[in-house]
Amino acid sequence: MVLTGGKPTPTGHATGGTGPARSRERFLQGEPVEAGVRTSILSSWQRSRSLGLSPDQADLPFRDDFDRDARIVRAAVPVLDRLQARFAGSRMNISVADASGTVLLRRFGEASLARSLPAFQRVPGFVFAERVAGTNGIGLALAERQLIRVHGAEHFAERSQRSACRALPVRDPLSGRIEGVLCFGYPSSTEDPELAITIRKAAQAIERRLLRQSSARERALLRAYLDTGAATSAGLHHTVGVDELALELHPRDRAVLTEKAAELISRGQRAAAVVSLFDGRRVTLVSRPMRSGSGVEGVAIEAVLPGPAPREPLAVPTQVDVPPGSSGRLAVVTAVPPPRFVPAAAAPGRLSVATLSRNLPDVAHGPFGTVDRVDVADDHPDAPSRTRGLVMVGEPRVGTYALAARRRLELLSEASARIGTTLDVRRTAQELAETAVPRLADFVTIDLPEAVLRGEESADPRTDLHRTVVHGISDDLPFSPVGKQVDFGPTTPQIRCLTSGQAVLEPDLKAAAGWLAQDPEHTERLLTEVHSLIAVPLVARGVILGIASFYRAQDPAPFGDDDRSLGLELASRAALSIDNARRYTRERTMVLTLQRSLLPHDLPDQDAVEIAHRYLPAESDVGGDWYDVIPLSGTRIGLFVGDVVGHGMLSAATMGQLRTAARSFAELDFPPDEVLTHLDNLVGRLDREEPAAGAGVIGATCLYAVYDPTSQQCTMARAGHPPPALVRPDGTVSFPDLPAGPPLGLGGLPFESAEIHLPEGSRLLLYTDGLIEDRHRDVDVVLDQLRGALAHPEQTPEQTCQTVLETVAPAHPCDDIALLVARTHALDPRRIAAWDLPADPARVSEVRAAALRQLADWGLDETAFAAELMLSELVTNAIRHGAGPIRVRLLHGRTLICEVSDASNTAPHLRRAASTDEGGRGLFLVAQLAQSWGTRYLPEGKVIWAECGLDAA
C-alpha cells in the first residue's frame, strides 16, 4: 500500500501482539484466551460465537432496497472521490455503510482490486453488520461506536484473514446520532499509522457536509419567511425588532424565552404561549408551521409585543391552536441590532436565529400557503397596536435535539444536587436510580460487590456482584431481586463494560445475543417490556465499584450515543459519591470496631442491680459515648455513663483512655465527686500532652453513681452530663436535681455529689445527650416522651431499653446514644451482721465467737476458719493502730465480706516481714486468705475489708 507522503510498513499476523492466529485458533477450539488479544476483539469473538456464526461462512446478506440518495450518501460522495484520488494505485478499498451495516458506497485505489472480490461485494448493498458477518471493521465500529482497527486473524471469518481495516462511525453533528460508518480496507501485510489521522479527517469532512445540509434547509425556511413578508408589507401595524426589546430584557428572561422558543419548534405545530417578563411586561410567542419552495418543512417563532401600554396583558391569538400546558413562561431570542436578517452561524445543536428591525406582515400569502394573523383580534378603534418580530426559525427535529440537550443538562444539574446526599452506599445507588427514572431510562438496576457494600475494595467485581437497586416505572418486571447475587456471562453488556471500562450500548436487546443467553427464563418476559440497554461501569479513582444498567421500555426510540454519554456522566458522578460513601463506611467500620472493643463486653456478676444496656452509634459518624458497671467493696456497684466531645477515631481513642482511668479510680473506692475530680485532671492533661491539630480542645461529660444495696442509698455526681431518670416502684418518673458540675477538662472547679434513697425495685436510667438532644425536637418534649416510656414499673431493664430506643431515640441519630438501665435490689438484712466494740484487745475474742456463731447460722462452717483469722487480725490492727469506736460487719452475698471500720484515716500497708521482725505478718496473712482486700475511706475514718469465697477452707 502506498500513501501520499508516506511509505508502506510491513506487518505480520501477530505484529504488536494484535490478532494472533494462534489465539484465534484456541478460541475457536473452546480454549481460554487470556492474553494477546485486545478486549474489543475478544468480546466480538464471543458475541459472534453466541450468535452461532461460523468462521467458514462465505456468503453475506445483500439488500437492494437501501436508500441510494440518503443524507450520508450525498455528504460522503465528494469525500470518497477525493480519497480515491489520494489512494490511486494502492490496494486500498474505501466503503461507507449506513447505521445498519449495509454498504452504500465503495471506492478502490486500484481498479483490479474490485475484480478480486466476489461479485456481490463489488457493488453497494451487501451487509457487514457484526450479527451476520462476525468480527469486522464496519460491524465492530457500530458495536463499539468508536474508531476500530481489525487486523488479519482478528477477523472472525476466514475470508478476511488476509486483510486489515480501520472503521470510524460518522455522526450527525446536530443530533449526535450515528448516520453511518467510514471504512478503510487494505492488505494485512501493510500498515500505516497515518491512516488513523486520515480516516478521522475524512469522517469530519462528511460530518461537516451533513451539517451544511441542515443549515441549508434552515436558510431556505428563513428565506421563505422573509419573501412572504415582502409580499404583504403594505398597510400593517408598525413593528419593532425583537432585538430592541432585548436591550431591556433581564438575562434570566432572555434565557427562559430562548428555551421556550426551541420547545415550540420541537412540537412542529401551531401554538402560542404567553410569558410574563421580569419587569412585569408580557410577550406572546406564536409558532407557525411553514414549507419552503423546495419542500423543506419547518417552524417560525414570532414574538407579539405590547404596544403603547407596556404592562397591558396580551391575549392569545384567536386563530392559533394552543396546546395544553403551553401557558407557562416563554422565551425570545435576542441579539444586537442586525441588518434585515442575520441567520445564526451553523453549529451543532444550534437553531437558525433571526431578528428583524423593519415591518413584518400580519397576513402572509406565499409559496407555503396562508399564515394566520399574529396580532390580537381587536377591531376597536382605540385598541392598542401590536408589534412583533421574528425570534427563531428551525426544523422540528433540530428543536427536539436542542430541547433534549437542554434537558440533559438539567438532569445533570439535578444529579449534582440529588446524588450523594448521604454517606451511605446503598442510598447513593438508590439516588442514582431515582434520578435517572424516568427522564433517562424506564428501569435501572445497580449491582455492587459485597465488598463495596462493606466499605472495602473488591478483588474481582465480576464474581462478587449483588443486586443492590431495582427501580423503575413499575414493580412487576422480573429483574433479579435486591440482595441476590448476579452472575453475568462473558458476552453480556455488563461484563463487557466492566472489562473495557466504557459504557456499552445495546440499541436492540432482541439482537443482543450475550444478553439473551444470560437468563433465558426472565429474558423472554423482559423483552416484551424493555427493548434497549445501556450498561455503565461505576468506576471512581481507578476502583471498580459495580455496574449500572439503564433500560428503556415506554419510549419506542432506542437509546443513542447521547443517552450513553448521559448515562456515563450520571454514573461517573454517582461513582464518586459511592466511593466516598464506601471509604466513609470503611473508616466508620474501623472506628465503630474500636469503639465497641473499648466498651464492656460482659457485665460483671453481682446482686446489687439488674442491668441492661444499649449502644447506638450515630448515623453519620461514631462518637465517644461509653458506659461501665464496676463491682465495688461491700456489695456496692458503680455505674458510669460518659460522652467524649467530637466524633471519629480521636474521640473513640480518648473514650478508651477515659473509661480505663474511670474504672481505676472507682476501684480505689473514691467517692463519686473525687472520681470526677481525678477524671477532670486526666482530660486536662490529655489535652495538653496530645493536642489534636484542628480538632479543638478535648472535653467530655460524665455521670457516676454508686449504689449500696445494704442501705439502698445511691450517691451520684455529674460533670456537665444530663441527670439520670429515676423510676420508683409505683411508676413515678423523676429527674433528680443533681449538682450540675462543669464538663471534664475545664479544671479548677469543684464537683458535688448527692445522695438519694432508692427503694428496692427502683429503676435508674443513665443516658448520653444523643437520646434527648436533637435539632429537630424540643428537649422538653423529648423528656415528656421519656417519662411516658418509663412509666411502666412492670417492665424489665431489657424491655425498658428497647422501649426507650423505639419511642424516644431519634429515627436518624446525629450523635451516639448510650443507655444503662439498673433495677435495684436490697441485700436481705438477715445476711448482714454487725457489732460495735470499744478499742479494747480483750474484746477481740468476743467478736470472733459471735462471728463464728453467725457463720454457723448461715451454713458457712467451711469458711469459718479463714474468716476467724481475718477478723482477728483486722480487729487487732484497728485496736492497735486506729481509733475508736470500732465496728465489725459481715456481709453474706456471693462471697463473704469481712469489714472492720474505725475513726482513723491511717491506712495499713502490706509488707513482707523479715525473719527477725516481731510484727508485720498480720496483713500479709489476710492477703493470703482473702480473694481481695482493700481500704475504703469514709467521711470520718476508714473501712478495711477482706473478701473470701464461700468454699474457702
Side-chain angles (χ1 to χ4, degrees):
M1 178 180 65
V2 179
L3 297 179
T4 304
K7 296 182 180 180
T9 304
T11 61
H13 277 28
T15 299
T18 60
R22 182 178 177 185
S23 295
R24 178 176 175 273
E25 292 173 1
R26 290 202 308 269
F27 175 81
L28 294 176
Q29 293 172 5
E31 299 178 8
V33 179
E34 299 178 355
V37 180
R38 288 177 289 145
T39 301
S40 59
I41 299 298
L42 181 58
S43 297
S44 181
W45 287 356
Q46 292 170 337
R47 293 195 297 271
S48 300
R49 183 167 60 184
S50 64
L51 287 165
L53 300 178
S54 171
D56 300 324
Q57 182 178 345
D59 298 333
L60 292 175
F62 185 83
R63 296 177 51 195
D64 56 6
D65 60 345
F66 64 90
D67 187 0
R68 301 177 186 275
D69 191 38
R71 294 179 66 232
I72 185 70
V73 173
R74 297 197 307 272
V77 165
V79 179
L80 262 65
D81 290 342
R82 291 196 297 270
L83 289 173
Q84 185 179 25
R86 176 174 182 176
F87 293 118
S90 70
R91 298 187 61 80
M92 171 73 75
N93 70 86
I94 308 161
S95 304
V96 170
D98 64 14
S100 66
T102 302
V103 175
L104 306 178
L105 296 171
R106 192 132 219 217
R107 297 289 189 273
F108 299 97
E110 183 179 307
S112 62
L113 182 60
R115 293 192 293 271
S116 65
L117 296 174
F120 73 96
Q121 290 191 30
R122 299 174 189 173
V123 295
F126 66 90
V127 181
F128 249 143
E130 186 185 63
R131 67 179 182 276
V132 295
T135 308
N136 68 88
I138 292 176
L140 193 52
L142 288 172
E144 298 289 333
R145 312 177 81 83
Q146 60 182 338
L147 178 62
I148 288 297
R149 181 169 71 99
V150 183
H151 188 281
E154 289 181 332
H155 289 87
F156 186 77
E158 293 286 350
R159 62 175 176 271
S160 303
Q161 297 297 295
R162 296 183 180 180
S163 65
C165 61
R166 291 179 184 264
L168 179 64
V170 177
R171 303 174 186 271
D172 184 327
L174 289 177
S175 68
R177 183 181 61 242
I178 292 179
E179 292 286 334
V181 178
L182 175 63
C183 181
F184 290 176
Y186 46 90
S188 60
S189 59
T190 57
E191 180 65 88
D192 194 320
E194 295 291 331
L195 282 179
I197 300 175
T198 303
I199 195 171
R200 287 188 185 276
K201 289 183 177 180
Q204 291 171 1
I206 297 174
E207 290 173 349
R208 285 195 299 270
R209 291 183 59 82
L210 287 171
L211 179 62
R212 283 199 293 270
Q213 290 182 24
S214 299
S215 301
R217 295 167 66 90
E218 292 167 359
R219 286 197 297 270
L221 289 174
L222 183 60
R223 189 176 300 109
Y225 179 90
L226 296 174
D227 291 345
T228 303
T232 58
S233 60
L236 302 179
H237 295 304
H238 175 69
T239 302
V240 299
V242 180
D243 57 286
E244 296 178 19
L245 175 65
L247 299 177
E248 306 174 6
L249 284 181
H250 191 279
R252 183 194 311 167
D253 288 329
R254 290 200 296 269
V256 175
L257 291 172
T258 304
E259 176 181 353
K260 192 62 179 182
E263 182 178 343
L264 290 175
I265 287 181
S266 68
R267 294 179 181 179
Q269 60 184 356
R270 293 177 181 176
V274 180
V275 61
S276 297
L277 300 182
F278 184 72
D279 58 3
R281 289 178 293 172
R282 305 181 73 186
V283 176
T284 301
L285 289 187
V286 181
S287 63
R288 299 189 171 281
M290 302 187 306
R291 182 185 294 274
S292 72
S294 60
V296 179
E297 295 182 355
V299 177
I301 305 296
E302 294 175 329
V304 182
L305 311 176
R311 296 184 180 274
E312 178 185 354
L314 291 182
V316 176
T318 58
Q319 300 182 23
V320 178
D321 298 329
V322 181
S326 64
S327 60
R329 294 177 61 86
L330 307 180
V332 174
V333 173
T334 59
V336 177
R340 182 170 177 82
F341 76 92
V342 181
R350 294 193 57 183
L351 302 173
S352 293
V353 178
T355 56
L356 301 181
S357 59
R358 302 183 185 275
N359 292 345
L360 290 178
D362 284 319
V363 181
H365 303 279
F368 48 87
T370 300
V371 179
D372 295 327
R373 295 176 60 84
V374 299
D375 57 336
V376 177
D378 193 345
D379 295 332
H380 195 278
D382 297 329
S385 61
R386 305 295 178 184
T387 60
R388 81 199 152 275
L390 178 64
V391 176
M392 187 177 291
V393 174
E395 295 181 72
R397 65 182 181 86
V398 180
T400 302
Y401 298 147
L403 188 61
R406 182 165 54 255
R407 287 175 177 170
R408 290 188 179 100
L409 290 176
E410 292 172 353
L411 180 58
L412 290 176
S413 176
E414 179 183 333
S416 299
R418 187 172 181 181
I419 299 175
T421 59
T422 66
L423 288 173
D424 181 82
V425 173
R426 288 181 173 85
R427 179 58 196 156
T428 303
Q430 182 71 30
E431 289 169 346
L432 168 60
E434 292 173 352
T435 302
V437 174
R439 298 168 67 178
L440 171 62
D442 296 315
F443 296 93
V444 176
T445 62
I446 298 178
D447 306 307
L448 303 177
E450 185 67 27
V452 171
L453 297 174
R454 296 194 306 267
E456 304 169 2
E457 294 184 14
S458 177
D460 187 0
R462 293 173 296 183
T463 61
D464 186 31
L465 290 171
H466 287 73
R467 182 59 44 88
T468 306
V469 173
V470 177
H471 183 70
I473 56 177
S474 63
D475 300 328
D476 57 349
L477 288 190
F479 290 105
S480 297
V482 172
K484 181 180 179 181
Q485 183 170 357
V486 287
D487 297 318
F488 293 110
T491 61
T492 56
Q494 285 84 355
I495 292 300
R496 286 160 49 201
C497 83
L498 276 186
T499 304
S500 65
Q502 300 295 324
V504 173
L505 170 61
E506 289 288 357
D508 184 6
L509 282 177
K510 294 182 179 179
W515 187 79
L516 294 174
Q518 169 64 26
D519 190 353
E521 179 183 355
H522 293 159
T523 297
E524 183 176 355
R525 183 186 170 193
L526 280 174
L527 283 179
T528 64
E529 300 285 345
V530 300
H531 58 80
S532 190
L533 165 68
I534 300 174
V536 186
L538 297 171
V539 182
R541 303 181 181 95
V543 178
I544 297 177
L545 303 173
I547 303 171
S549 300
F550 303 92
Y551 295 90
R552 178 164 286 178
Q554 290 188 338
D555 190 342
F559 283 125
D561 281 325
D562 286 341
D563 299 310
R564 181 179 66 165
S565 299
L566 179 59
L568 184 59
E569 180 66 22
L570 285 176
S572 298
R573 298 185 182 201
L576 285 174
S577 297
I578 291 175
D579 191 50
N580 289 337
R582 178 191 67 82
R583 291 167 176 253
Y584 167 76
T585 300
R586 181 185 60 190
E587 297 298 328
R588 185 174 186 272
T589 301
M590 292 172 58
V591 176
L592 187 57
T593 301
L594 173 62
Q595 169 85 347
R596 293 191 183 279
S597 69
L598 296 175
L599 291 174
H601 298 285
D602 298 314
L603 296 183
D605 294 330
Q606 43 78 37
D607 296 321
V609 291
E610 180 183 350
I611 292 290
H613 57 89
R614 294 289 190 277
Y615 170 72
L616 183 65
E619 191 172 72
S620 59
D621 205 350
V622 178
D625 291 21
W626 59 282
Y627 59 88
D628 207 347
V629 178
I630 305 171
L632 302 176
S633 63
T635 69
R636 297 172 307 137
I637 194 73
L639 305 175
F640 270 110
V641 66
D643 183 5
V644 175
V645 174
H647 296 84
M649 192 73 72
L650 176 62
S651 296
T654 304
M655 180 274 289
Q657 293 176 289
L658 197 61
R659 175 177 170 250
T660 301
R663 172 174 283 270
S664 299
F665 295 144
E667 289 178 344
L668 290 174
D669 269 327
F670 292 140
D673 54 338
E674 289 190 30
V675 170
L676 294 184
T677 300
H678 289 296
L679 290 177
D680 180 55
N681 295 332
L682 172 67
V683 173
R685 186 166 60 253
L686 290 176
D687 190 54
R688 292 190 300 271
E689 295 177 354
E690 302 178 11
V697 177
I698 297 175
T701 65
C702 184
L703 171 63
Y704 180 38
V706 177
Y707 173 69
D708 188 345
T710 64
S711 62
Q712 302 177 37
Q713 293 294 115
C714 182
T715 305
M716 293 181 280
R718 63 188 180 114
H721 202 84
L726 174 59
V727 186
R728 298 190 179 274
D730 60 358
T732 304
V733 181
S734 63
F735 297 92
D737 186 16
L738 304 181
L744 301 177
L746 296 183
L749 298 176
F751 297 96
E752 298 180 39
S753 60
E755 192 170 281
I756 301 174
H757 179 74
L758 300 182
E760 184 173 12
S762 300
R763 282 175 295 157
L764 194 64
L765 174 68
L766 283 65
Y767 54 90
T768 55
D769 57 4
L771 178 67
I772 61 172
E773 294 183 5
D774 183 18
R775 59 173 175 258
H776 303 296
R777 303 184 300 170
D778 184 81
V779 173
D780 292 334
V781 174
V782 177
L783 291 177
D784 288 340
Q785 294 176 346
L786 184 58
R787 283 191 180 92
L790 295 176
H792 300 282
E794 74 284 355
Q795 288 185 340
T796 65
E798 284 289 340
Q799 292 172 334
T800 300
C801 279
Q802 193 63 30
T803 301
V804 168
L805 289 182
E806 291 176 353
T807 61
V808 182
H812 304 283
C814 300
D815 195 5
D816 292 18
I817 298 175
L819 287 181
L820 192 64
V821 179
R823 182 161 63 183
T824 62
H825 297 298
L827 187 61
D828 189 343
R830 293 172 297 180
R831 289 176 172 262
I832 303 174
W835 301 273
D836 293 318
L837 66 155
D840 183 359
R843 303 293 296 274
V844 175
S845 60
E846 297 177 9
V847 172
R848 285 203 307 264
L852 289 175
R853 288 192 298 271
Q854 185 63 62
L855 292 177
D857 292 341
W858 286 341
L860 301 180
D861 295 328
E862 294 183 358
T863 312
F865 177 73
E868 182 184 10
L869 288 178
M870 290 189 297
L871 275 178
S872 179
E873 292 297 332
L874 294 178
V875 172
T876 301
N877 282 341
I879 293 173
R880 293 181 60 183
H881 305 291
I886 297 173
R887 183 178 178 82
V888 177
R889 189 170 70 158
L890 295 180
L891 303 177
H892 179 198
R894 291 176 178 267
T895 59
L896 178 65
I897 302 174
C898 304
E899 294 183 345
V900 176
S901 60
D902 66 84
S904 171
N905 290 325
T906 304
H909 297 281
L910 179 66
R911 65 186 181 87
R912 288 184 177 274
S915 58
T916 57
D917 290 343
E918 295 183 0
R921 297 179 178 83
L923 202 56
F924 179 78
L925 178 63
V926 171
Q928 296 299 310
L929 293 174
Q931 290 182 348
S932 59
W933 72 279
T935 303
R936 179 172 75 248
Y937 289 93
L938 303 175
E940 294 182 2
K942 65 178 181 300
V943 176
I944 308 297
W945 57 270
E947 180 178 333
C948 63
L950 299 183
D951 57 350

